[in-house]
Amino acid sequence: MIAELGHYALILCLLMALVQGTLPLIGAGRGDHQWMALAGPAVLAQFVFASFAFGALIYAYVVSDFSVANVVQNSHSAKPLLYKFTGAWGNHEGSLLLWIWILALYGALVALFGTNLPATLKARVLAVQGLIGVGFLTFSLATSNPFLRLDPAPLNGNDLNPLLQDPGLAFHPPLLYFGYVGFSMTFAFAVAGLLEGRVDAAWARWVRPWALLAWSSLTGGVALGSWWAYYELGWGGYWFWDPVENASFMPWLLGTALLHSAIVCEKRGALKTWTVLLAILTFSLSLIGTFLVRSGVLTSVHAFATDPTRGVFILGFLVIVIGGSLGLYAWRAPSLKAGGLFQPVSREGSLLLNNLLLAVACGTVFVGTLYPLILDVMGGGKVSVGPPFFELTFVPIMVPLVLVVAVGPLLAWKRGELAAALARLGPAFLAAIAAGLVALALNDWKGGFAALGIGIAAWLFSGVVIELAFRLKLFRVPLLESLRRAMARPRAAYGMSLAHAGLALLVAGTVASGAWQGEAQQVMRPGDSVTVGGYEVTLREVESVNGPNYTAERARFEVARNGRFLAELYPERRRYRVGGRETTEAAIRTTWLADLYVVIGEPDGTGGFATRLYFNPLVPWIWIGAFVMVLGGGVSLSDRRHRVGVPERKAALVREAEASV
């Protein structure tokens, strides 16, 4: 009965989305406030129904209701409780329902907290959001109903893919979706702004919080996915330029550009049409990622579906949404008023260069990801575009970007002085040289390009510190005055500093782990030792153990350095009882400066086991840097200037107080 109620709730959700997507839009065009006012109740009702439907699916998983086909295909009674919860979105139908729920949540947030938005703009934003919901709800009900019944019901299910039975994968999809769907809000504001013919500083101020929330969520989602790939897949790496990995990375690149472009639009009233275009393209790339994951054109550990008929539906939806929004842009964008002028050497100029480099980098990833697919469809045969292509094309674009990020915040708005900014960055230049030389010395003077990358990371991190010291006038005024300036500094400025510092840590971790990784692959028997990264690693024993729904061969390794015992590591090779699928569980010892990574593989039949050992210098900095970037986004979001409606409500309170005197 719960499954049927969940299905009915989805149908009611679609009806509410239809109301939300049509009547308020018509009302905004006619100036009918009653019709525009329908958007709020419609989106709140849609959120209630979507929440009920999503809760019904989770309930079916938790109680192991094997009369529901989706539960049979992706669960098992012996599965741990956590993965019964997460199994609800560890599949195509459930993850689509999660997407719908988050979409309704964002609409409800606009309805509740966008009280200062102009009535017509708010109605149009919610209407666009409603039409997007119509597309996904129709897709779910027509091709991907998560509540289909089986009769008779089997006694047990087929279990969830073992690779997805992991805490990292429990939270990775929701974070990604909060990012993907969050950019639907910036898309809705862009389309609404084009319909209104109004894109100005106020519009950019309304867009920025949603862009920040989406960017922060997507950053966390991408980082969590790479961390999962690192410790779960057993290959010693964290990013393989897989097409589905790229599908999440491309909207992140353009979303980063959108954040910076919106700043120029808000502060200087410039780059209006460019900001609108970025908002459209960022969400368009989110939809393209959805197509890649769910269309069946890819075979990947990340892909949810292999049914081409679903891909046809999504492709049609893509054509309508992307084609329609770009057509509207081509029609309305030329009528938008031009913004303020600025010199190439200025804060605006640095942000524009930042945007251009991010857009070119995104285009490079786009071509490398989709070219093999398009060539295959056109009968050109199968080709592989892998890490070498991206390392040769993407990385050179990132180098000037990171260099500019350190300089831009030290330039003035409208017209800056490059020589003065570079002079202030003199200590950062010295820090970059020192860091590069230290990196070379620690690695036997090998890896010149990698040392350059470490130097660039040090340049950016030092630039962040120098810019903060410059704004606080450290050592130039009394300490109390610097503290006063620190207290008065906007939180968004601190958020920017944190995000840039996190990027520096991420760059250092990426460069060092890629260039100076140590690796040893061999067959080992109990008592054998291998040296990697200065560690002596000895295999002591391999024993059989039982998990809740798997059996495993668990190895015990002893780790020593210079004859001194340091730790024991316990990697596993698991075999799941249902389906017989196998996974590896790497054992990792981290010092926060490097990881020792150990994997046990197949037995050789003579008492030995295939083993892989990796020494990954600075690799923890990748996820520390990503965490700092997300923290920076959160700090920026807490800035009162990003709380939609604060200035207007404060002004209204002042007027009321004056009227009462």
Side-chain angles (χ1 to χ4, degrees), residues 97 170 288 351 360 381 555 559:
L97 184 53
I288 290 172
L351 291 172
V360 172
V559 181

Side-chain angles (χ1 to χ4, degrees), residues 10-303:
L10 267 186
I11 295 172
L12 292 173
C13 199
L14 174 58
L15 294 176
M16 290 299 101
L18 283 168
V19 172
Q20 177 190 339
T22 54
L23 298 184
L25 195 61
I26 297 170
R30 295 169 50 182
D32 190 322
H33 289 275
Q34 290 184 329
W35 282 33
M36 286 190 287
L38 289 172
V43 71
L44 292 175
Q46 184 188 160
F47 175 66
V48 170
F49 292 134
S51 299
F52 184 89
F54 191 46
L57 183 63
I58 291 177
Y59 175 81
Y61 269 86
V62 171
V63 301
S64 295
D65 183 354
F66 295 121
S67 68
V68 177
N70 187 260
V71 179
V72 173
Q73 293 163 5
N74 301 283
S75 191
H76 191 275
S77 58
K79 190 169 65 173
L81 181 60
L82 172 63
Y83 305 128
K84 289 183 179 179
F85 273 100
T86 61
W89 57 79
N91 58 86
H92 166 70
E93 292 83 2
S95 65
L96 185 60
L97 184 53
L98 174 64
W99 178 293
I100 290 167
W101 180 79
I102 295 174
L103 188 68
L105 173 61
Y106 271 106
L109 291 175
V110 172
L112 291 173
F113 299 109
T115 53
N116 72 309
L117 291 171
T120 54
L121 181 65
K122 183 177 180 180
R124 286 180 168 125
V125 167
L126 290 176
V128 173
Q129 195 78 349
L131 291 174
I132 296 171
V134 168
F136 280 98
L137 283 160
T138 304
F139 180 40
S140 177
L141 289 167
T143 71
S144 310
N145 184 358
F147 298 108
L148 291 177
R149 291 284 196 180
L150 288 178
D151 186 21
L155 295 177
N156 225 319
N158 301 332
D159 206 6
L160 181 67
N161 185 338
L163 290 174
L164 305 181
Q165 295 186 41
D166 180 86
L169 258 290
F171 305 105
H172 163 61
L175 269 177
L176 271 185
Y177 287 4
F178 265 97
Y180 284 154
V181 181
F183 284 121
S184 74
M185 286 310 314
T186 59
F187 173 85
F189 270 99
V191 173
L194 290 172
L195 291 172
E196 294 245 324
R198 176 189 173 187
V199 174
D200 53 16
W203 176 88
R205 191 158 49 248
W206 292 321
V207 166
R208 279 185 67 193
W210 304 108
L212 261 173
L213 179 57
W215 178 86
S216 300
S217 300
L218 190 56
T219 302
V222 172
L224 193 57
S226 69
W227 182 50
W228 167 80
Y230 177 65
Y231 70 78
E232 178 67 22
L233 299 184
W235 58 289
Y238 50 85
W239 193 266
F240 195 68
W241 297 101
D242 179 283
V244 182
E245 291 175 341
N246 295 346
S248 65
F249 191 43
M250 289 186 289
W252 184 87
L253 289 169
L254 278 196
T256 305
L258 172 62
L259 268 179
H260 292 84
S261 180
I263 294 172
V264 178
C265 189
E266 179 185 351
K267 300 290 186 184
R268 297 285 303 141
L271 305 184
K272 294 178 183 178
T273 56
W274 173 247
T275 304
V276 170
L277 181 60
L278 282 176
I280 292 172
L281 292 179
T282 301
F283 182 59
S284 298
L285 286 174
S286 296
L287 292 180
I288 290 172
T290 303
F291 171 74
L292 290 176
V293 173
R294 303 174 189 277
S295 62
V297 301
L298 293 177
T299 301
S300 166
V301 68
H302 305 84

Side-chain angles (χ1 to χ4, degrees), residues 234-446:
W235 58 289
Y238 50 85
W239 193 266
F240 195 68
W241 297 101
D242 179 283
V244 182
E245 291 175 341
N246 295 346
S248 65
F249 191 43
M250 289 186 289
W252 184 87
L253 289 169
L254 278 196
T256 305
L258 172 62
L259 268 179
H260 292 84
S261 180
I263 294 172
V264 178
C265 189
E266 179 185 351
K267 300 290 186 184
R268 297 285 303 141
L271 305 184
K272 294 178 183 178
T273 56
W274 173 247
T275 304
V276 170
L277 181 60
L278 282 176
I280 292 172
L281 292 179
T282 301
F283 182 59
S284 298
L285 286 174
S286 296
L287 292 180
I288 290 172
T290 303
F291 171 74
L292 290 176
V293 173
R294 303 174 189 277
S295 62
V297 301
L298 293 177
T299 301
S300 166
V301 68
H302 305 84
F304 278 122
T306 57
D307 184 356
T309 59
R310 291 169 174 168
V312 172
F313 187 103
I314 301 175
L315 189 59
F317 185 58
L318 282 177
V319 171
I320 294 171
V321 175
I322 300 176
S325 58
L326 290 178
L328 177 64
Y329 176 82
W331 174 42
R332 299 287 288 176
S335 64
L336 298 177
K337 293 182 180 179
L341 300 176
F342 55 87
Q343 294 295 318
V345 180
S346 61
R347 181 81 68 85
E348 299 96 321
S350 70
L351 291 172
L352 178 58
L353 180 57
N354 159 293
N355 269 223
L356 293 175
L357 290 171
L358 284 168
V360 172
C362 182
T364 299
V365 178
F366 184 85
V367 170
T369 302
L370 293 187
Y371 172 72
L373 303 178
I374 295 172
L375 188 66
D376 188 23
V377 169
M378 296 179 65
K382 293 186 179 294
V383 298
S384 176
V385 176
F389 167 82
F390 294 103
E391 290 166 2
L392 289 173
T393 56
F394 179 82
V395 173
I397 300 170
M398 289 294 100
V399 171
L401 175 66
V402 175
L403 294 174
V404 170
V405 168
V407 179
L410 290 168
L411 296 173
W413 292 103
K414 195 173 181 179
R415 178 179 303 198
E417 296 183 9
L418 182 60
L422 292 176
R424 294 190 186 100
L425 287 170
F429 181 70
L430 296 177
I433 294 176
L437 290 175
V438 168
L440 274 178
L442 290 175
N443 291 279
D444 299 325
W445 304 98
K446 297 176 182 178

Side-chain angles (χ1 to χ4, degrees), residues 599-644:
V599 178
I600 183 170
E602 297 279 348
D604 68 350
T606 63
F609 293 84
T611 59
R612 297 192 303 277
L613 289 75
Y614 301 93
F615 174 73
N616 295 323
L618 295 191
V619 75
W621 288 22
I622 294 173
W623 298 289
I624 295 173
F627 173 77
V628 173
M629 292 170 73
V630 174
L631 180 63
V635 170
S636 293
L637 271 173
S638 71
D639 194 316
R640 69 180 303 276
R641 296 178 302 171
H642 292 154
R643 298 175 201 164
V644 178

